[in-house]
Amino acid sequence: MSSTAKEAAKASVTVTLDGTNRSTTLPLLTGTLGPAVADIRKLYGDLGVFTFDPGYGATASCESKITYIDGDAGILLYRGYPIEQLAEKSDFIEVAYLLLEGELPTGTQLADFRKNVTNHTMVHEQLRRFFDGFRRDAHPMAILCGVVGALAAFYHDNLDINDPRQREIAAFRLIAKVPTIAAWAYKYSIGQPFMYPRNDLSYAENFLYMLNAVPAEPYVNNPILSRAMDRILVLHADHEQNASTSTVRLAGSTGANPFACIAAGIAALWGPAHGGANEAVLKMLAEIGTKENIPQFIKEVKDKNSHTKLMGFGHRVYKNFDPRATIMKDTCHEVLAELGIKDSPLLDMAMEMERIALTDDYFIQRKLYPNVDFYSGIILKAMGIPTHMFTVLFAVARTVGWVSQWKELIEDPAQRIGRPRQIYRGAGTRDYVAVDRRS
Ligand code: ACO
């Protein structure tokens, strides 16, 4: 526990084991914001019992200074700054600095940081060959996961996680190279030549360039679309201890190198309940087909036996509007206007779905609101980005969050290997029976 948390421990929780005279007093820790947290570390030692919290809905797994979410109020802060202000006034590189370093940069710090990230955008030429090993129809998340993990084989010089300088270089390499690998995964899937990064472009512009440019034609940057991409990157940059970030931290707690940890995060992000949701939203809208079919679909969602979810709705922490969804909705309208898409059946369907869901008791009672993925899929589709690239894009944005959380973990003197316990409900102890005596 850090000294701040120690000093904040003013109140306590007393737990008594019913039917015995044993009890223990657990310190109650307070953070800068958010509810108090009971420090249960001595519970097992004092009372011989564990806590049970599958899905970790009531467990703070670490102390962090990076991101804060108030799910009831719909608030998201990066290092204390509201996401709405950052999305409007900042850009992805500045936000990346903020997440990693804790403060907004001065002009010189920002210029240096931008230069450092830009200088690392190319990947080792040998790494190109990895792509040839994948089938053309491989999901780009599979490629991203494999190739990012493989980076560890190229950078033996910065695998010492205990050296701050090596950690810093690994951070630059990951933030800079993941977009290149992501764009190449896409180019590979459509059989087009890989485009090398252009360091005269901004982070978002360069990413769009690597995705969309071809060597045969001049490339024209669209500032509205690159601004939208930058905003998508900012909105997805970090989100506290979600499933993929917790995966990165768990892998990092073993001392694994940063490239392996980020590859683990990419794998966790892939699931449809997490980063795969924006892809799933479009699939869902396509399956529903027309606005007229929405009421029937909503009926199916509410039927316990159907296992159908309204994708892009609901969140473990947000029990009010996801503030990212609100910004995403505005960006969606901007992008469609810029592209001259006046009638978007997808957007119409999404808005109708949102309208129905927000007035339906099932969703109201469960506090289910649109999350960031509900609108991001529509923007990306309008920008010409294919559905199977959506989660890849999310991974590009989240890399800086994962790296910041990994760095914080390594720099935390209290960090130990992550090793949860369990409640065992399997067979009791029994003797081995020879195969000819088994019935
Ligand atoms: N559609 C219909 N019902 C839902 C939805 C949904 N999208 N989400 C939750 N519910 C229902 C559950 O069935 C449950 O109902 P019950 O109380 O009658 O059993 C109740 O709401 C509570 O939901 P939980 O499953 O306990 O919520 P949890 O916190 O475990 O799950 C999650 C959160 C995974 C995001 C869930 O809401 C979901 O699957 N949403 C759809 C997928 C999605 O959009 N994921 C993106 C999340 S944001 C991100 O990763 C960037």
Side-chain angles (χ1 to χ4, degrees), residues 70-75 318-321:
D70 182 334
D72 294 319
I75 289 171
Y318 292 120
K319 299 302 171 196
N320 195 324
F321 246 87

Side-chain angles (χ1 to χ4, degrees), residues 273-274 277 301 304 309-313 316 362 366 371 373:
H274 191 11
V301 167
K304 272 259 167 244
K309 286 241 157 93
L310 176 47
M311 300 312 284
F313 259 69
R316 171 57 61 80
Y362 174 94
R366 290 170 180 75
N371 58 48
D373 288 324

Side-chain angles (χ1 to χ4, degrees), residues 55 57 236 239 242-244 269 271-278 280-281 297-298 301-302 304 308-319 322 324 362-363 365-374 394 398:
H236 286 86
H239 212 228
N242 56 80
S244 56
L269 186 76
H274 191 11
N278 50 12
V281 169
F297 177 77
I298 297 277
V301 167
K302 295 191 309 194
K304 272 259 167 244
T308 308
K309 286 241 157 93
L310 176 47
M311 300 312 284
F313 259 69
H315 196 275
R316 171 57 61 80
V317 183
Y318 292 120
K319 299 302 171 196
D322 178 341
R324 301 168 303 170
Y362 174 94
F363 297 92
Q365 275 165 16
R366 290 170 180 75
K367 299 186 176 174
L368 299 170
Y369 290 88
N371 58 48
V372 67
D373 288 324
F374 194 65
F394 191 161
R398 187 54 60 84

